[in-house]
Amino acid sequence: MKKILLAFVLCFMTQMSFAQDFKSDTKKYMDMSGQFKIFEKLTSQLEENVPQEKKAEFNKELQSSLNLLMDKMAEMYMTEFTHQDIKELIKFYESPLGKKLSSKSGVLMEKGEKVGQEWAMGLQGLMMKYMQ
């Protein structure tokens, strides 16, 4: 009985180790792809609204919140991609082209926001045309 229990515990611990490796690799991919930078940029704008004397505590809680978000996002990716898929994505982001793409994520986000805003302005005109 002890041997069966020991075997079960060892299998469970091995599974947990693989799951942790998968999650760790998923977070590594998310970081390499620039996703963390995007959230950091978005949240840095929030900090501007917090009084100076409260910023340290705010940043501590914000970082905790971001960590929870990254965990949940990693788990989301883990439902859509295999561990091998994530490893392949990491390989891509370790390549020169992947590094270039990652380094451009902030610029692309800013330009994408501008393009999206311009599109939305045009869409308002289109909506007005058909709502009258």
Side-chain angles (χ1 to χ4, degrees), residues 57-120:
E57 190 63 29
F58 171 77
N59 283 327
K60 183 180 175 183
E61 288 190 48
L62 180 62
Q63 190 58 52
S64 176
S65 174
L66 280 172
N67 290 341
L68 289 172
L69 175 63
M70 292 305 129
D71 276 346
K72 288 182 180 185
M73 289 194 61
E75 290 166 4
M76 177 190 71
Y77 273 85
M78 292 166 67
T79 64
E80 300 296 325
F81 295 93
T82 66
H83 194 177
Q84 187 58 41
D85 292 336
I86 295 295
K87 288 178 179 181
E88 292 295 321
L89 287 166
I90 289 171
K91 281 183 191 176
F92 169 73
Y93 279 100
E94 289 173 338
S95 74
L97 181 59
K99 288 177 183 177
K100 181 178 181 180
L101 178 62
S102 179
S103 73
K104 300 289 183 180
S105 64
V107 172
L108 291 170
M109 186 178 105
E110 288 176 17
K111 288 182 177 183
E113 284 176 3
K114 184 178 179 188
V115 168
Q117 288 171 349
E118 290 171 359
W119 174 78

